[in-house]
Amino acid sequence: DYFSIPQNHPTIQRLAINSLPMYASSVNAFVVVAPTVPYFNQPERLCTIDSYRRRAWCRAEVFSHVLRCGTSMVYVATEKDINPVSDTSAVIEDAMRIFYGDLTCCALKHKGMEKCDKEQLMLPLLGLFGEAVRTVAEMNSELAKSTVRTGLGQTILDKRHELFPEEFDFITEQGTLVRKPLFSD
């Protein structure tokens, strides 16, 4: 993330970050590159596949790709090897729970921010989810419908209210908790 997102210009950085779900959903293959290495600006902490799986933006990238392309071309690369993921892998299970992942803005209590990154993620993910539902609805073949509606696709549909929460807790710089709408009417 550090090298692929501009770090010195906040406006360009925000635009690049906001484009991640659309970019991730458009690529032919998605490779999670997660070797065990020290954080760039916090060398006492380690980046691992587990820390990748906890981060909301990382979850959003994986989920965005999976919504449009499925899991057949999703891989995890560590310092040891590269492996394909399955519909039931921990990477996919965590990715579906984007809005429960760690966000820097939340850790910093949204200092100098009017919106949480959860709000920034809402529209692109709603669009991708809508596209996935439309694709299933437009399929002509009953076999194709039953194939798509089993496994991961069915899990997403069944858990949509959990995966796309109506509200979330926004904590201000002063520590005030504000309940904000997310995927509500």
Side-chain angles (χ1 to χ4, degrees), residues 12 19 51 73 116 132 135 145 151 162:
I12 300 297
S19 73
S51 65
M73 295 295 289
C116 177
T135 299
K145 284 183 183 179
E162 174 189 345

Side-chain angles (χ1 to χ4, degrees), residues 30 32 34 49-50 52-54 58-60 62-63 66 71 74-77 83-97:
F30 191 92
V32 173
I49 186 60
D50 293 330
Y52 180 92
R53 288 176 30 212
R54 284 192 302 270
C58 296
R59 291 175 176 196
V62 173
F63 191 65
V66 168
T71 59
V74 179
Y75 301 88
V76 173
N83 292 297
V85 301
S86 69
D87 288 0
T88 58
S89 79
V91 172
I92 301 301
E93 292 290 326
D94 288 339
M96 289 192 301
R97 298 178 48 77

Side-chain angles (χ1 to χ4, degrees), residues 143-155:
L143 175 62
K145 284 183 183 179
S146 66
T147 301
V148 172
R149 289 189 164 263
T150 59
L152 184 60
Q154 190 62 49
T155 299

Side-chain angles (χ1 to χ4, degrees), residues 19 40 59 96 121 126 128 130 165:
S19 73
F40 177 77
R59 291 175 176 196
M96 289 192 301
L121 281 164
L126 184 60
L128 287 168

Side-chain angles (χ1 to χ4, degrees), residues 104-120:
T104 301
C105 64
C106 296
L108 299 176
K109 296 183 179 177
H110 304 96
K111 184 176 182 179
M113 300 177 74
E114 291 180 23
K115 283 188 167 187
C116 177
D117 282 353
K118 291 176 185 179
E119 294 167 284
Q120 302 292 344

